[in-house]
Amino acid sequence: MTARGLGNAVRRAPEEVRRHKEAILEALQRGLRDTTCPEVAAESMLALAEVVRKLKAEGLGSAFKDVARSTKMFFEAEPEVLRSSAFSLYAALASSASGKRSFFAREVAETWVSLLLHLRDPDPEVSNARAPTSHLQSRSKPGGTTWLDSLFQVCRTALYLCAPFLGPERVQETIITSIGLSAAELQYEVCHCLVRDAPAVLERLRSIARSRHLENGQALHSATIAVLGDILEKARGLSGSCQQQE
């Protein structure tokens, strides 16, 4: 069965997923390793997102860690279909990670830079893809409305769902309360938090900019290099303002 077929089967027959989860996970994880066809890997990630939503971290067992580690390796992929699918899967992982909190917090400490930068991904498949409503059903604003109206980009959804695993706390609050901000405005607000509260993290961003590689060794996508430069330029201006105020 194709990855898309497995994804459809997961939606229609969740009990079958639980009964045959090992075989399904093995088939879909094998699809992630298909480097000859980006579409196969992308479909496998979307199907895995369905599996994650059904089984949660506890039901996945050790496979949760394997899937999370595999998914982040597609964040800087050249084909936009891989980036979009990877962020969709990561959002599902984040929304299901309460049973693996310590592990996922360590992962987010590494992956949040990609999530932040790709808020301004140049491809609409990534920056304007509508996130599945199931990611946001349990997270609503006062008054009962969901974040879906304004937090619709698939990458932004993933960043929002990862926020509770992030530090410092002010960065969490900035992301979670970012309704109404554009992608660039949210990036600048996070940058402002780093200037005030986490200069060591800001220095890590400067190191990434110099090497053009993430801390896990992945080369930055060409489009995000300019975005990171813009964020750091904003940081320089904010740093100067803070020094003058002192």
Side-chain angles (χ1 to χ4, degrees), residues 20 49 69 83 108 113 122 128 151 167 178 181 184 198 211 217 219-220 243:
H20 303 290
R69 288 167 177 150
R83 301 197 303 279
V108 171
V113 174
N128 292 325
L151 191 59
S178 63
L181 297 181
S211 67
L220 285 175
Q243 289 172 358

Side-chain angles (χ1 to χ4, degrees), residues 37-204:
C37 184
E39 288 75 16
V40 170
E43 290 289 353
S44 295
M45 283 189 277
L46 294 178
L48 277 167
E50 295 292 340
V51 174
V52 170
R53 285 193 286 273
K54 290 292 187 297
L55 298 182
K56 308 299 182 186
E58 295 85 350
L60 289 170
S62 62
F64 181 89
K65 294 183 179 182
D66 294 336
V67 172
R69 288 167 177 150
S70 297
T71 304
K72 68 186 178 185
M73 302 311 293
F74 292 99
F75 287 176
E76 302 300 322
E78 190 60 37
E80 67 276 1
V81 68
L82 291 177
R83 301 197 303 279
S84 177
S85 298
F87 291 133
S88 292
L89 175 51
Y90 213 70
L93 289 163
S95 67
S96 305
S98 59
K100 302 281 186 181
R101 186 171 184 86
S102 295
F103 163 78
F104 202 70
R106 292 192 297 272
E107 290 295 295
V108 171
E110 177 186 310
T111 58
W112 74 275
V113 174
S114 282
L115 296 175
L116 182 71
L117 296 180
H118 283 280
L119 291 175
R120 278 195 275 170
D121 193 286
D123 196 284
E125 284 294 319
V126 180
S127 59
N128 292 325
R130 184 171 291 277
T133 56
S134 57
H135 292 331
L136 302 176
Q137 284 173 347
S138 63
R139 295 170 179 265
S140 58
K141 299 183 294 180
T145 58
T146 71
W147 279 69
L148 188 60
D149 294 328
S150 57
L151 191 59
F152 64 92
Q153 298 109 320
V154 67
C155 180
R156 189 162 180 169
T157 302
L159 180 62
Y160 170 72
L161 291 170
C162 287
F165 300 93
L166 267 172
E169 188 173 319
R170 194 184 296 271
V171 173
Q172 291 184 28
E173 293 173 355
T174 297
I175 294 169
I176 291 172
T177 60
S178 63
I179 283 181
L181 297 181
S182 69
E185 288 170 338
L186 175 53
Q187 288 171 333
Y188 296 154
E189 284 299 313
V190 170
C191 173
H192 195 186
C193 292
L194 298 181
V195 169
R196 289 181 303 180
D197 303 322
V201 177
L202 187 61
E203 184 53 40
R204 285 168 57 193

